[in-house]
């Protein structure tokens, strides 16, 4: 790995990242971002496909000078519906939209990796697929469409990274097996019979039924799930009624479920549906449940995770390589590693001294741009390690 050239890439990656940060685009609307990426890849002499996956996906293909494995690398491109509250010269210029999760950095890192390998193309042992994916932030997500378009055809392994402000700059982390949770959503509508708040005996109070249901849902994890299996059932909203003296005819409850294995995931879905129906019936009401199965658990391949733990200490030092705990946020990179062996890795991007330690999806979110250098080095090393086997 030629570190001198990688260091020369840093000003370009900062420039790219700040342009993308000033011009964010929401999920499924990444047209200008896709054109920006495609133009940069073409300038590098990389074969480009656009509009991949039924959206604004971009794929670059770089063939090496030697035979070998086909390795895929993935970056996400979409922003979030959040108003940027930062005061800096690269804050978002789009009202109500910002890169609050580091996807602008992920895109710039992958462009940096593409720049590196295009310069040393003859040394590549095989082929590299650069996947720039839209719509990671919104289910059903962009990954499935990219896969259905054939981006993983013939791929031997896939790697992805996430800039992560909870980790300090200079550290990296991952783990074999389950790393990130499945994320499902539920929407429960309770229908009763409305009426006068002073004459409750002739009504069916949907709010009372809803309140009871909220408490019943809390028993699922504590009494139905194996205590050794991490799981979360969160009620995010409960809404019903229009005035203090009217008994509400309808009440709506929404929430999210996070799990790490399919058995627990399906158990919780079945429990929510049955408890909602039976609780509503207890109060004379009716319940209908819409349950959306979101991204599956992200499960790293054990062999590829071991590659990370073997290679990363050589770059960063053993004391800066962490074995990550399971994380409840979800990632549609999970779909890729369901199809081919792969590893998702976290690159420390937090810097408390510079105020860059706000959580992801926060209006003041930012990351230390030096982390992009670390991301480039990690991906280059993983590719070279895999292709040299």
């Amino acid at each position: 790995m030629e570190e001198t050239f990688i260091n020369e890439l840093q000003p370009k990656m900062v420039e790219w990242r700040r342009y993308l940060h000033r011009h964010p685009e929401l999920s499924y609307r990444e047209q200008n971002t896709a054109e920006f990426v495609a133009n940069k890849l073409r300038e590098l002499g990389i074969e480009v496909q656009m509009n991949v996956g039924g959206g604004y996906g971009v794929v670059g293909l770089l063939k090496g000078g030697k035979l070998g494995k086909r390795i895929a690398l993935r970056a996400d491109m979409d922003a979030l519906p959040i108003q940027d509250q930062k005061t800096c010269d690269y804050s978002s210029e789009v009202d109500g939209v910002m890169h609050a999760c580091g996807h602008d950095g992920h895109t710039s890192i992958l462009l940096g990796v593409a720049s590196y390998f295009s310069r040393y193309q003859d040394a590549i042992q095989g082929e590299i697929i650069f996947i720039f994916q839209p719509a990671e932030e919104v289910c059903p997500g962009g990954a499935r469409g990219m896969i259905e378009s054939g981006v993983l055809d013939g791929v031997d392994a896939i790697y992805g990274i996430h800039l992560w402000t909870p980790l300090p700059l200079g550290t990296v982390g991952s783990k074999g097996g389950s790393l990130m949770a499945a994320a499902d959503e539920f929407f429960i509508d309770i229908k009763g019979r409305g009426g006068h708040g002073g004459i409750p005996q002739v009504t069916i109070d949907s709010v009372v039924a809803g309140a009871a249901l909220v408490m019943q849902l809390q028993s699922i994890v504590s009494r139905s799930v194996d205590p050794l299996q991490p799981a979360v059932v969160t009620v995010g909203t409960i809404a019903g009624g229009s005035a203090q003296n009217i008994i509400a005819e309808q009440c709506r409850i929404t929430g999210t479920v996070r799990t790490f294995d399919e058995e627990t995931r399906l158990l919780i879905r079945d429990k929510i549906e049955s408890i909602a129906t039976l609780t509503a019936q207890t109060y004379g009401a009716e319940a209908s449940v819409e349950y959306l199965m979101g991204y599956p658990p992200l499960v790293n391949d054990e062999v590829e995770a071991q590659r990370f733990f073997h290679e990363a200490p050589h770059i960063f030092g053993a004391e800066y390589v962490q074995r990550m705990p399971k994380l409840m946020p979800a990632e549609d990179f999970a779909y890729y590693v369901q199809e081919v062996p792969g590893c998702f890795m976290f690159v420390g991007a937090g810097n408390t001294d510079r105020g860059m330690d706000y959580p992801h999806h926060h209006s003041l979110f930012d990351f230390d741009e030096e982390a992009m250098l670390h991301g480039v080095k990690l991906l280059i090393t993983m590719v070279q390690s895999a292709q040299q086997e």
Side-chain angles (χ1 to χ4, degrees), residues 190 205-207 237-243 246-253:
I190 299 174
D205 196 330
S206 66
V207 169
T237 71
I238 177 169
S242 58
I246 299 175
I247 289 175
E249 183 155 331
Q250 294 186 328
C251 176
R252 173 165 253 224
I253 295 169

Side-chain angles (χ1 to χ4, degrees), residues 24 31 35 65 124 164 195 213 375:
Q31 181 176 3
E35 290 175 357
I124 297 173
W164 199 241
L213 176 56

Side-chain angles (χ1 to χ4, degrees), residues 42-80:
R42 291 190 186 104
E43 290 172 8
L44 296 169
I46 294 175
E47 181 182 329
V48 176
Q49 282 184 280
M50 295 187 68
N51 302 316
V52 181
Y56 292 110
V58 179
V59 175
L61 171 62
L62 189 61
K63 297 180 179 180
K66 305 174 184 178
L67 295 177
K69 294 181 178 180
R70 172 176 275 204
I71 305 298
L73 304 174
R74 175 271 205 168
D76 36 21
M77 302 188 295
D78 52 330
L80 286 156

Side-chain angles (χ1 to χ4, degrees), residues 179-235:
L179 175 60
M180 302 183 76
D184 302 326
E185 299 173 345
F186 59 86
F187 306 84
I188 304 172
D189 289 298
I190 299 174
K191 185 175 182 181
R193 184 167 61 245
H196 197 291
I199 315 174
Q201 71 274 18
V202 296
T203 71
I204 297 174
D205 196 330
S206 66
V207 169
V208 169
L213 176 56
V214 169
M215 298 308 298
Q216 290 295 322
L217 293 175
Q218 304 311 304
S219 70
I220 295 175
V221 172
S222 66
R223 289 296 174 267
S224 297
V225 174
D226 183 341
L228 299 179
Q229 295 294 336
V232 171
V233 175
T234 293
V235 173

Side-chain angles (χ1 to χ4, degrees), residues 129-185:
I129 309 295
F130 302 97
I131 300 172
F132 293 86
Q133 180 206 303
E136 187 278 328
E137 294 287 1
V138 178
C139 285
R144 287 196 298 181
M146 301 294 283
I147 293 167
E148 290 167 1
S149 295
V151 298
L152 295 182
D153 291 353
V155 167
D156 295 289
I158 185 168
Y159 306 118
I161 62 170
H162 204 305
L163 295 171
W164 199 241
T165 57
L167 286 180
L169 180 70
T171 61
V172 293
S174 189
K175 72 180 294 290
S178 297
L179 175 60
M180 302 183 76
D184 302 326
E185 299 173 345

